[in-house]
């Protein structure tokens, strides 16, 4: 399973990269705004800076919502760097744009997916990735992980190559559940990825090993 980090924060992207577990980055307009990145030139430079840190895929989201505008914006984003994947919302013009980008060899991430039907449409349009938002479904008392299971079943039934990129992942158990189901990718904040490291028995065991070693060495 690939690990993407869901942030536009360069320090956190570097930290995840240095851990050796980073396979890519996802951003969205809210995450860019959170880092104070506004204006076309700054946005473009920020995507380039992200691509310099990771050698994996970097999702860059279009802001427009009509077919012609999404095509123009997506083509410009794709030209920025070979690692850029154009992130397109699951709306009618978005599906049409994904089909167009696919025909031009431009990779896409279909975002804001909340149902199996939407995921089926994304795959039929040829999306490289589909992003079901697990945490936001959980937030409205709907089982986000059930959607990952449903999409896995549907894609396997027909051999769709679209990769399931579980998004809106909020905590380490989401990551474990996605791995058990067979999601291809998770995208999560650094805190959720780093939380996989933690176990009190590891900390206690290490402290004991080091103490025993020091005692034996007469320190
Ligand atoms: C996906 O690509 C989105 O950027 C993201 O995962 C949304 O997560 P959130 O629901 O925590 O905002």
């Amino acid at each position: 399973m690939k690990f993407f980090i869901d942030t536009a924060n360069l320090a956190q992207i570097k930290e995840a990269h240095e851990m050796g577990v980073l396979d890519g980055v996802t951003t969205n307009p809210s995450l860019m705004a959170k880092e104070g990145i506004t204006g076309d030139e700054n946005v473009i430079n920020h995507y380039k800076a992200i691509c310099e840190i990771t050698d994996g895929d970097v999702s860059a989201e279009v802001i427009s919502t009509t077919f012609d505008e999404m095509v123009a914006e997506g083509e410009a984003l794709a030209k920025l760097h070979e690692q850029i994947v154009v992130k397109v919302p699951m709306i009618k013009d978005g599906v049409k744009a994904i089909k167009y980008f696919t025909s031009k060899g431009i990779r896409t991430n279909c975002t804001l997916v909340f149902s199996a039907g939407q995921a089926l449409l994304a795959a039929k349009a040829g999306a490289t990735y589909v992003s079901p938002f697990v945490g936001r479904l959980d937030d409205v008392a709907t089982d986000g992980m059930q959607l990952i299971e449903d999409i896995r079943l549907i894609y396997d039934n027909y051999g769709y190559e679209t990769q399931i990129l579980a998004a809106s992942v909020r905590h380490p158990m989401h990551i474990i559940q996605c791995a058990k189901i067979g999601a291809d990718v998770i995208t999560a904040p650094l805190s959720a990825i780093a939380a996989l490291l933690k176990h009190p028995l590891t900390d206690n065991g290490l402290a004991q090993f080091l103490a025993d070693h020091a005692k034996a060495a007469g320190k």
Side-chain angles (χ1 to χ4, degrees):
M1 184 169 71
K2 287 190 271 188
F3 276 24
F4 288 0
I5 188 169
D6 196 30
T7 185
N9 182 288
L10 298 181
Q12 289 186 14
I13 295 169
K14 269 188 202 131
E15 192 176 333
H17 175 71
E18 282 162 10
M19 270 177 78
V21 298
L22 189 64
D23 300 300
V25 178
T26 52
T27 62
N28 64 38
S30 304
L31 293 171
M32 294 292 273
K34 194 174 161 194
E35 299 306 317
I37 314 298
T38 54
D40 289 353
E41 203 180 323
N42 290 334
V43 168
I44 284 168
N45 288 337
H46 204 75
Y47 284 137
K48 286 182 180 166
I50 294 174
C51 291
E52 277 169 25
I53 300 171
T54 177
D55 49 13
D57 289 346
V58 175
S59 286
E61 188 159 343
V62 298
I63 309 298
S64 39
T65 54
T66 63
F67 174 76
D68 289 339
E69 287 172 328
M70 278 191 267
V71 163
E73 202 184 336
E75 283 181 332
L77 287 169
K79 274 186 196 139
L80 290 180
H81 200 285
E82 60 187 7
Q83 288 164 237
I84 294 284
V85 174
V86 180
K87 205 171 178 189
V88 180
M90 169 40 76
I91 54 176
K92 195 172 170 187
D93 278 28
V95 173
K96 202 173 149 189
I98 289 169
K99 182 80 187 167
Y100 170 85
F101 288 134
T102 304
S103 75
K104 298 287 175 194
I106 293 173
R107 295 176 309 139
T108 54
N109 173 357
C110 183
T111 190
L112 290 166
V113 166
F114 294 94
S115 76
Q118 291 177 326
L120 185 53
L121 283 175
K124 284 189 69 66
T128 313
Y129 296 104
V130 66
S131 287
F133 278 36
V134 173
R136 291 193 195 187
L137 281 169
D138 289 354
D139 289 345
V140 293
T142 303
D143 187 356
M145 218 43 72
Q146 183 60 50
L147 177 58
I148 303 297
E149 274 194 55
D150 291 347
I151 300 172
R152 182 74 283 156
L153 176 69
I154 290 168
Y155 283 9
D156 289 350
N157 277 349
Y158 296 98
Y160 285 122
E161 287 178 7
T162 299
Q163 295 179 55
I164 303 173
L165 195 177
S168 190
V169 161
R170 304 269 176 79
H171 52 71
M173 280 316 292
H174 271 156
I175 300 177
I176 302 298
Q177 287 163 337
C178 283
K180 286 166 84 171
I181 293 167
D184 301 286
V185 192
I186 58 92
T187 190
L190 181 61
S191 56
I193 295 171
L196 292 172
L197 277 170
K198 291 184 188 148
H199 199 290
L201 291 178
T202 303
D203 297 340
N204 293 346
L206 181 61
Q208 185 69 55
F209 286 157
L210 296 179
D212 289 346
H213 173 76
K215 200 169 155 191
K219 286 179 190 164

